Each structure stands twice: as structure tokens, then as C-alpha cells.
């Protein structure tokens, strides 16, 4: 089983719709979780850190479920500019240092 | 503030040639990283430097060497390039904890090894 898994998509979603995708991780010792966004042929940029209590930033909501070992990203009222690849990132350190990027989920927002 | 800069943007090498990818950051970050991104593979960590003077191997260090020249600069060297090293290389930096914090990425170097 891969350490971090994401549905590669693509998710084709009409503008204004709500879309959600998950990322599962296999190592329960994982400590920090992030969602990054990557536009075509560009560098990744941090979208959100993910906290146990869940966090929201405008139209974006991220959740962490440690019991089931997954994180989620919800995008409400999607915009054309949300079209990108969304990368899940899982890290742990102090003994077994690891930073694992998921392969990404491609999202296409349709006009 | 330029953030993280990388040179060159593009490079074509022949098998066996060597080259150094340069990375610099102006955010006074302690930690710096080198990744490669291949189609269908996601980003994989090659080496990282938690602070000036230290470097550690990541997931795929074979065939690469790094130098943390000072707090600002972190270079990646390919001593004898192989076609399997054709990839997009990203440098990144972060402050505070080495792996638990937001990373800022450079624009990438697209390397082709023939």
C-alpha cells in the first residue's frame, strides 16, 4: 500500500458546484498535513495546513480524520480559477523523517 | 522579495555530463529542500538541509550530491547524469521545523538527459 494515496481524477465539475476529495495515509505516526495547489507547469503552493479540529479559509475547508487516517478538502462555489492539481502532503519527523507528497488530484472547473 | 529562485530554468545534458543546479532564498529560512517531480510519481524528496551546515538524505538521493553553501543557498549536483534523472527539479525552503511547516517552492528546473 502506498504511504499517501489520492484519486488522480480528473474531477470535471461545473462552475459554482461543490467538490470534495480525500487523501489517505498509511502511517499513524504522521504528524503534519497540508494541501498544496499546483498549476500546470508551475511550482506547488501551499493552499492550507490541516488541523485535527478542521479549518476553513473562505471557500475551502480541510479536515483531518486520524482514526481513519485521511484528510479531505472541500471547495464550495467553485471558480474557473480553481482548476489545478491538488497535492496532499504528509510529514513526520524526530526519528523517521519523512515528507510524502501524494501524486495529486486534477480538478477541472467547467464553465 | 524574490522568494526562492532557481537557475537554470531549462537544461539539456548528455549522459555522463555533470552539472549543478543552484537555489537561493531571501526569506531567512533555516530549512531548504530539493525535490524531483516525474509524471505519475508526484514530488519526491532528494535531499534536505534542516539548517546551515547540515544535510540529510531524502527518499531518492542516489546520483546526487548537495551543498548548503550558506543560509541562503542550497545547490544540487549531478556528477554523472543519466537519462533516469530527466525530471523537473524543485527547490523549496521553510522556517522553523524542518518537515512540519509550509514550504515555499522555486519555479523549477526542467532537465533532460539524452
Amino acid at each position: 500500500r502506498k504511504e499517501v494515496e489520492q484519486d488522480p481524477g480528473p474531477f470535471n465539475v461545473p462552475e459554482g458546484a461543490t467538490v470534495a476529495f480525500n487523501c489517505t495515509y498509511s502511517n499513524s505516526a504522521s504528524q503534519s498535513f497540508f494541501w498544496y495547489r499546483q498549476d500546470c507547469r508551475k511550482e506547488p503552493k501551499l493552499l492550507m495546513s490541516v488541523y485535527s479540529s478542521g479549518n476553513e479559509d473562505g471557500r475551502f475547508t480541510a479536515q483531518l480524520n486520524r482514526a481513519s487516517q485521511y484528510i479531505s478538502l472541500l471547495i464550495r462555489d467553485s471558480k474557473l480559477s480553481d482548476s489545478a492539481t491538488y497535492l496532499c502532503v504528509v510529514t513526520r519527523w524526530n526519528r523517521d523523517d519523512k515528507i510524502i507528497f501524494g501524486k495529486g488530484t486534477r480538478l477541472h472547473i467547467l464553465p | 522579495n524574490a522568494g526562492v529562485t532557481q537557475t537554470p530554468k531549462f537544461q539539456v545534458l548528455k549522459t555522463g555530463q555533470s552539472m549543478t543546479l543552484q537555489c537561493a532564498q531571501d526569506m531567512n529560512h533555516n530549512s531548504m529542500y530539493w525535490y524531483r517531480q516525474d509524471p505519475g510519481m508526484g514530488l519526491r524528496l532528494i535531499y534536505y538541509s534542516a539548517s546551515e551546515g547540515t544535510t540529510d538524505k531524502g527518499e531518492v538521493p542516489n546520483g546526487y550530491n548537495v551543498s548548503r553553501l550558506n543560509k541562503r543557498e542550497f545547490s544540487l549536483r549531478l556528477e554523472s547524469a543519466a537519462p533516469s534523472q530527466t525530471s523537473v527539479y524543485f527547490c523549496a525552503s521553510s522556517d522553523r521545523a524542518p518537515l512540519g511547516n509550509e514550504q515555499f517552492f522555486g519555479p523549477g528546473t526542467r532537465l533532460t538527459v539524452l
Side-chain angles (χ1 to χ4, degrees):
Chain A
R1 182 183 170 187
K2 291 187 175 60
E3 186 150 2
V4 175
E5 293 200 74
Q6 294 184 252
D7 182 339
F11 285 56
N12 296 309
V13 173
E15 193 175 8
T18 295
V19 60
F21 22 85
N22 289 342
C23 166
T24 59
Y25 62 95
S26 61
N27 193 314
S28 60
S30 300
Q31 293 166 277
S32 294
F33 308 87
F34 306 89
W35 284 105
Y36 279 74
R37 172 198 168 120
Q38 186 173 25
D39 294 302
C40 188
R41 299 181 71 79
K42 297 285 192 181
E43 71 272 23
K45 293 184 179 176
L46 181 72
L47 181 66
M48 301 177 76
S49 301
V50 188
Y51 306 117
S52 295
S53 54
N55 46 305
E56 188 173 311
D57 182 3
R59 298 181 293 108
F60 298 84
T61 300
Q63 299 271 1
L64 165 63
N65 185 318
R66 284 196 184 270
S68 301
Q69 295 184 195
Y70 72 88
I71 66 172
S72 63
L73 179 67
L74 179 80
I75 306 174
R76 288 181 297 278
D77 187 23
S78 52
K79 313 288 185 195
L80 293 175
S81 57
D82 294 333
S83 297
T85 297
Y86 291 82
L87 308 175
C88 161
V89 181
V90 175
T91 76
R92 59 182 184 274
W93 63 95
N94 291 336
R95 205 187 288 188
D96 172 27
D97 294 351
K98 279 279 182 82
I99 177 164
I100 311 291
F101 278 74
K103 294 181 183 179
T105 297
R106 283 185 298 143
L107 175 63
H108 296 154
I109 304 300
L110 308 172
Chain B
N1 245 5
V4 180
T5 57
Q6 292 183 235
T7 55
K9 286 189 166 51
F10 301 93
Q11 184 72 47
V12 178
L13 293 177
K14 294 181 180 175
T15 297
Q17 287 186 314
S18 62
M19 78 161 295
T20 299
L21 281 64
Q22 306 286 355
C23 174
Q25 52 92 9
D26 62 3
M27 295 174 282
N28 201 36
H29 284 168
N30 287 318
S31 302
M32 297 185 74
Y33 314 79
W34 276 105
Y35 294 90
R36 60 178 290 174
Q37 186 173 34
D38 303 295
M41 294 295 293
L43 278 98
R44 291 181 293 170
L45 183 64
I46 304 171
Y47 271 94
Y48 70 99
S49 171
S51 60
E52 189 178 350
T54 68
T55 60
D56 287 283
K57 293 179 181 179
E59 184 185 352
V60 288
N62 291 346
Y64 305 95
N65 285 303
V66 290
S67 294
R68 183 75 183 266
L69 304 168
N70 47 56
K71 192 171 186 179
R72 288 189 65 247
E73 297 172 289
F74 189 38
S75 62
L76 178 73
R77 183 159 178 84
L78 287 70
E79 289 293 350
S80 178
S84 60
Q85 294 178 305
T86 293
S87 190
V88 180
Y89 291 85
F90 288 103
C91 177
S93 71
S94 68
D95 68 359
R96 301 201 299 274
L99 296 178
N101 222 34
E102 175 185 5
Q103 297 191 15
F104 295 83
F105 284 81
T109 294
R110 284 175 167 71
L111 175 67
T112 301
V113 183
L114 303 174

